[in-house]
Amino acid sequence: MFEHGRFLTLEVRRNSCLDHSHDRIRYSGITFCWPDGRPVSTGVSKLCQVGTRVLLGKRFGGDRLLVEIWVVPTGEDAPRLDLPKGLRSCRLMLKRLGQQGVIHLFDRTPTDLIFDDGVDEAPVLQWIGLASLAANEEFWLDVFVKPV
């Protein structure tokens, strides 16, 4: 779909056992699985309500959804993606801190989405871009989700 983008095809499963609140932020538990049903080794197990809505939208009304999650490299001030109707993107920044990559919102606010060299599978690290980042390096990306 996008010449310079990367995507993973994953099944997103709702996991209410992982739901919780912290500092007035409500999190929805999520389990990511490969299309063949195997769980993805990743430290990402929750999304805040805003993240769930932005990335998965109204389509995620049930317990499972098979999706392509796209990462498109961009710049902090680059024009927004021109996506087909019904798809939304979110501009984020990944910053490497040691063996971890912390996702930041467009205003540089750090989130609880953390990728880790010692936890996440190699395809996940390559997809998100952490595998190619040096210490303290930043990588701006647009993320969008397309149902399969």
Side-chain angles (χ1 to χ4, degrees):
M1 178 179 276
F2 288 92
E3 184 177 324
H4 301 290
R6 302 181 294 269
F7 72 93
L8 288 177
T9 301
L10 300 173
E11 183 179 65
V12 181
R13 296 181 184 173
R14 183 80 173 82
N15 187 344
S16 59
C17 295
L18 298 175
D19 289 357
H20 69 281
S21 296
H22 179 71
D23 289 337
R24 297 184 311 187
I25 299 171
R26 290 179 37 193
Y27 293 95
S28 295
I30 301 289
T31 300
F32 295 97
C33 294
W34 297 111
D36 66 6
R38 290 178 299 119
V40 175
S41 292
T42 181
V44 177
S45 62
K46 64 187 178 198
L47 293 173
C48 68
Q49 283 185 315
V50 173
T52 302
R53 183 80 168 168
V54 167
L55 291 178
L56 301 174
K58 295 177 184 176
R59 298 179 299 267
F60 196 62
D63 292 333
R64 298 169 183 236
L65 183 64
L66 187 64
V67 295
E68 289 178 356
I69 305 177
W70 283 79
V71 166
V72 180
T74 190
E76 184 174 4
D77 298 318
R80 296 289 179 175
L81 288 175
D82 184 23
L83 294 172
K85 185 176 167 106
L87 298 180
R88 295 179 284 180
S89 69
C90 182
R91 173 118 345 133
L92 301 169
M93 185 262 288
L94 176 69
K95 184 171 185 173
R96 180 179 273 282
L97 301 170
Q99 73 174 26
Q100 296 182 329
V102 179
I103 295 289
H104 293 69
L105 301 175
F106 63 90
D107 66 357
R108 295 180 172 266
T109 302
T111 70
D112 290 334
L113 291 175
I114 298 173
F115 295 88
D116 191 305
D117 287 336
V119 175
D120 293 275
E121 291 185 44
V124 173
L125 296 172
Q126 290 173 350
W127 163 77
I128 198 65
L130 186 62
S132 61
L133 288 183
N136 295 313
E137 190 174 3
E138 297 176 355
F139 170 63
W140 286 91
L141 54 139
D142 284 337
V143 176
F144 70 93
V145 177
K146 179 179 164 250
V148 176

